[in-house]
Amino acid sequence: CLYNSCLDSCGGSSLCDPSNSLNNCSQCEPITLELCMNLPYNHTNYPNYLGHRTQKEASISWESSLFPALVQTNCYKYLMFFACTILVPKCDVNTSQRIPPCRALCEHAKEHCESVLGIVGLQWPEDTYCNQFPEENSDNQTCLMPDEDVEECSPSHFKCGSGRCVLASRRCDGQPDCDDDSDEENCGCKERDLWECPSNKQCLKYTFICDGFPDCPDNMDEKNCSFCQDDELECANHECVSRDRWCDGVADCLDSSDEWDCVTLSKNANSSSFLTAHRSATAHHVCGDGWQETLSRLACKQMGLGEPSVTELIPEQEQDQQWLTLHSSWETLNATTLHELLVKGQSCHSRSKISLLCTKQDCGRRPAARMNKR
Amino acid sequence: ILGGRTSRPGRWPWQCSLQSEPSGHICGCVLIAKKWVLTVAHCLEGRENAAIWKVVFGINNLDHPSAFVQTRLVKTIILHPRYSRAVVDYDISIVELNEDIDETSYVRPVCLPSPEQSLQPDTYCYITGWGHMGNKMPFKLQEGEVRIISLEQCQSYFDVKTITARMICAGYESGTVDSCMGDSGGPLVCERPGGQWTLFGLTSWGSVCFSKVLGPGVYSNVSYFVEWIERQIYIHTFLLN
């Protein structure tokens, strides 16, 4: 087309010359549709023969579920190949010309599989009428026919020992689907190039190991991921950071996990909760000297809770209690967290710790239905 | 929403509309705190530029902004790092607004579940959205009640996709309530004793909603992600230095 916005306008509009609007209207693009990643060609262009305008649209289409399921019935050996020639039509990268499937391929697929669909009350996709495709070798129009090394199964299938294709989700699901039961053989994680959780035998991709997201019930996939020195602690992403940098107000782990959960509430026997601040991976009581209500508000907010409801100063009985006290000029620091405002090693004159109760965030309430008297 | 009904204004004050010009409404979203919204990753994938998005609250009819409307620009978009487009897993995203919303009876956050709270099959919950109704796209917010089904039963409806612990399934008889295109990112909420509503799911994917094929809607399982959500809000709120 003459205008660079050709792709949109070509989708069925008359802006382009109808005789070749589909051939030189859009550029070739690499195939990304996972279902068709094992074809003898790897470029396509859109719209395809089913009217989908993009590969994303094709990937969520009805046909992208229908054909893989139909392939399992073994109704036609090259059904998946035919399905892909209309879902992601071949595009010749040199000429940007589209290479359609041959009419015979379409007719064989339809002839063998339409009746199978009929059994379950479904129809062959409407706009795959075969005479839109060229005869093989007719007036030098090239078209696609499967050669002997074409893959019968898509990457989303498992190939049974008998050659049949079943969907990969059926592999090792405890139900044999192949006529030779081969989909329930070699089901160990190792055989499938996966990693096994010791606690529940669950299989995991290797990329999930030590990636900071626990997957095994006992988090074993996130253990033994790094070997830190004695004076270091392991971050969530398994880096090692020295212990005295934990909860100092500056993120040293790349994922900032050394500054997580630095302020908590610890419950004691009579259910009041004391404000606890962590420093160098050790829990400390917070000294009440100079405490203000704005600090209670910051503490509750930092813990993801609502407003503070009760702040009390409780005398501390223990002599050798470890304290964190407020920085002498905490109000001038532009800190965003409470633990940044606290320092270690100072004495607590009042010898009293902070007891704090925070309300829960108010949420999930709907206005009462308005009753308008008439 | 298929098979639902038009919602009364203000009935779902946490429901929001994720919009981008020139098309307007793209996806649903859910207010979880004054400055934070949840939606699904597949709505934002490939369009993670915060500047092209805006979030509209307090609205019932997309075509008639009411007096209660609040619109915010987007400051930060956080897609789950494990989101996988191929299998639509880890389909969740957090959006930070450029400023707090004003909490009113028409705009207020929903509760998040605790990580241990999971939905039992046969529980009834609500889904809402401005998505396809089967014959048209509505202007007015739609709502519908759906029944939670087990993951095993849900897997039996989907051959190509695997149902994972990050998902919840709901509703499955054809002709009953189901979510559809345009509802994505919107809430699946359940009422707790005492009248508080909790967000358990975000509309994510499912069978082709208005075709003859049966199939449940599949929702991102918010309970699975609560710790990640709270962690991200903490990092982007408190660890700014």
Side-chain angles (χ1 to χ4, degrees):
Chain A
C1 297
L2 294 179
Y3 305 108
N4 62 3
S5 62
C6 172
L7 189 62
D8 286 341
S9 53
C10 272
S13 91
S14 60
L15 271 181
C16 297
D17 170 357
S19 62
N20 60 8
S21 62
L22 278 181
N23 283 339
N24 59 7
C25 177
S26 59
Q27 304 307 311
C28 297
E29 62 184 76
I31 293 174
T32 56
L33 184 66
E34 200 164 307
L35 212 51
C36 300
M37 295 287 278
N38 59 353
L39 292 171
Y41 61 88
N42 48 31
H43 281 84
T44 184
N45 60 9
Y46 275 77
N48 63 14
Y49 288 107
L50 296 168
H52 305 138
R53 288 172 301 166
T54 63
Q55 291 198 63
K56 182 162 188 176
E57 195 176 326
S59 72
I60 59 172
S61 68
W62 150 249
E63 291 84 357
S64 72
S65 302
L66 168 73
F67 281 117
L70 191 54
V71 159
Q72 299 183 107
T73 66
N74 226 8
C75 55
Y76 176 49
K77 185 175 181 180
Y78 298 114
L79 176 64
M80 200 63 227
F81 176 72
F82 167 68
C84 286
T85 60
I86 58 176
L87 276 167
V88 285
K90 177 176 179 180
C91 180
D92 180 333
V93 288
N94 302 318
T95 62
S96 291
Q97 291 271 336
R98 170 170 294 187
I99 315 293
C102 294
R103 185 175 302 180
L105 173 61
C106 173
E107 286 168 348
H108 287 156
K110 190 170 181 179
E111 191 183 326
H112 288 89
C113 297
E114 187 172 26
S115 56
V116 175
L117 276 180
I119 294 170
V120 293
L122 294 175
Q123 282 177 316
W124 186 258
E126 276 147 29
D127 42 18
T128 51
Y129 50 93
C130 297
N131 55 19
Q132 67 178 307
F133 303 122
E135 302 274 3
E136 203 171 350
N137 301 325
S138 66
D139 60 19
N140 74 12
Q141 264 216 355
T142 54
C143 65
L144 287 175
M145 281 297 278
D147 52 31
E148 61 283 347
D149 58 11
V150 148
E151 265 297 331
E152 291 148 49
C153 302
S154 85
S156 301
H157 286 101
F158 166 75
K159 191 164 190 173
C160 306
S162 59
R164 193 173 166 175
C165 310
V166 295
L167 288 168
S169 57
R170 302 279 174 115
R171 172 98 169 91
C172 298
D173 63 350
Q175 304 281 328
D177 296 282
C178 295
D179 21 31
D180 58 9
D181 298 352
S182 52
D183 62 306
E184 295 305 321
E185 293 165 3
N186 303 320
C187 282
C189 298
K190 198 175 287 180
E191 287 88 353
R192 292 193 280 156
D193 199 16
L194 297 171
W195 187 80
E196 183 175 280
C197 286
S199 53
N200 63 354
K201 308 301 176 203
Q202 180 189 349
C203 295
L204 295 177
K205 291 179 188 166
Y206 278 98
T207 51
F208 283 10
I209 311 303
C210 295
D211 69 339
F213 288 97
D215 294 285
C216 300
D218 54 2
N219 298 353
M220 268 310 285
D221 58 307
E222 296 301 319
K223 297 232 171 79
N224 306 320
C225 297
S226 61
F227 300 93
C228 301
Q229 306 295 319
D230 291 349
D231 64 340
E232 291 177 326
L233 291 175
E234 189 176 342
C235 307
N237 64 0
H238 307 301
E239 275 176 280
C240 293
V241 166
S242 76
R243 175 187 296 273
D244 60 11
R245 291 177 165 219
W246 283 68
C247 290
D248 62 353
V250 174
D252 298 284
C253 300
L254 275 177
D255 62 8
S256 72
S257 53
D258 59 307
E259 296 301 314
W260 297 355
D261 304 322
C262 296
V263 173
T264 56
L265 288 173
S266 56
K267 286 253 187 252
N268 75 356
N270 58 14
S271 82
S272 61
S273 46
F274 294 112
L275 187 60
T276 302
H278 298 263
R279 179 61 53 88
S280 309
T282 307
H284 298 72
H285 281 159
V286 176
C287 171
D289 295 354
W291 190 262
Q292 292 183 18
E293 193 59 16
T294 52
L295 297 169
S296 295
R297 203 173 299 123
L298 174 59
C300 290
K301 191 179 176 197
Q302 184 170 334
M303 291 184 280
L305 298 172
E307 292 300 313
S309 55
V310 175
T311 305
E312 285 176 325
L313 270 65
I314 308 290
E316 172 58 72
Q317 308 306 325
E318 276 185 43
Q319 288 310 314
D320 57 357
Q321 172 60 44
Q322 293 212 28
W323 294 98
L324 289 180
T325 56
L326 277 171
H327 189 283
S328 54
S329 53
W330 65 270
E331 281 148 313
T332 61
L333 303 175
N334 70 343
T336 53
T337 60
L338 175 65
H339 58 281
E340 274 176 89
L341 302 175
L342 302 173
V343 293
K344 200 173 164 181
Q346 306 290 316
S347 61
C348 179
H349 301 297
S350 63
R351 296 205 58 74
S352 55
K353 55 192 175 186
I354 304 288
S355 167
L356 181 61
L357 267 183
C358 307
T359 58
K360 275 197 171 175
Q361 295 263 19
D362 185 26
C363 62
R365 295 199 186 281
R366 293 199 299 194
R370 289 192 198 295
M371 309 301 282
N372 299 308
K373 292 188 178 60
R374 295 186 178 181
Chain B
I1 302 288
L2 302 183
R5 64 175 192 188
T6 299
S7 299
R8 182 175 52 79
R11 187 168 158 86
W12 311 103
W14 39 80
Q15 170 84 52
C16 47
S17 169
L18 192 60
Q19 304 194 352
S20 175
E21 292 316 328
S23 6
H25 175 85
I26 300 281
C27 274
C29 49
V30 190
L31 183 68
I32 59 168
K34 285 193 178 175
K35 208 175 177 195
W36 295 93
V37 155
L38 285 186
T39 187
V40 284
H42 81 255
C43 286
L44 298 167
E45 174 212 9
R47 295 180 279 191
E48 284 122 81
N49 172 9
I52 67 171
W53 293 100
K54 66 179 181 179
V55 185
V56 182
F57 303 88
I59 194 167
N60 181 275
N61 186 329
L62 286 175
D63 221 11
H64 289 96
S66 69
F68 310 109
V69 153
Q70 294 183 43
T71 302
R72 293 292 180 276
L73 297 180
V74 170
K75 179 181 175 188
T76 315
I77 288 176
I78 307 165
L79 256 66
H80 195 286
R82 273 204 180 165
Y83 167 62
S84 157
R85 173 180 170 205
V87 294
V88 199
D89 200 355
Y90 293 90
D91 192 12
I92 192 165
S93 178
I94 305 170
V95 171
E96 181 181 15
L97 306 173
N98 68 332
E99 57 178 299
D100 287 4
I101 51 94
D102 302 325
E103 205 163 314
T104 68
S105 57
Y106 285 84
V107 179
R108 61 173 52 166
V110 74
C111 300
L112 282 179
S114 62
E116 307 75 57
Q117 253 180 302
S118 61
L119 272 185
Q120 295 310 305
D122 299 328
T123 307
Y124 278 86
C125 299
Y126 271 86
I127 52 173
T128 51
W130 288 279
H132 215 286
M133 293 171 64
N135 53 2
K136 64 172 184 172
M137 291 293 273
F139 286 107
K140 290 183 177 173
L141 183 67
Q142 299 295 301
E143 65 182 51
E145 195 170 32
V146 285
R147 187 164 70 95
I148 305 300
I149 65 173
S150 70
L151 295 188
E152 294 72 31
Q153 188 180 357
C154 186
Q155 181 66 77
S156 68
Y157 285 95
F158 297 102
D159 282 337
V160 187
K161 299 267 192 272
T162 301
I163 302 298
T164 73
R166 276 74 65 188
M167 303 171 188
I168 290 177
C169 300
Y172 59 93
E173 279 105 33
S174 174
T176 55
V177 172
D178 195 7
S179 48
C180 200
M181 276 72 119
D183 290 320
S184 282
L188 182 149
V189 288
C190 314
E191 189 171 17
R192 278 197 289 216
Q196 270 182 301
W197 288 82
T198 302
L199 176 69
F200 281 95
L202 295 168
T203 301
S204 175
W205 62 278
S207 54
V208 179
C209 30
F210 38 79
S211 82
K212 299 176 282 303
V213 175
L214 298 176
V218 184
Y219 303 81
S220 299
N221 175 4
V222 172
S223 300
Y224 185 95
F225 295 109
V226 163
E227 282 173 357
W228 176 73
I229 293 167
E230 291 175 346
R231 182 72 68 208
Q232 295 308 307
I233 290 176
Y234 172 77
I235 290 170
H236 286 81
T237 306
F238 293 97
L239 301 186
L240 302 176
N241 307 339

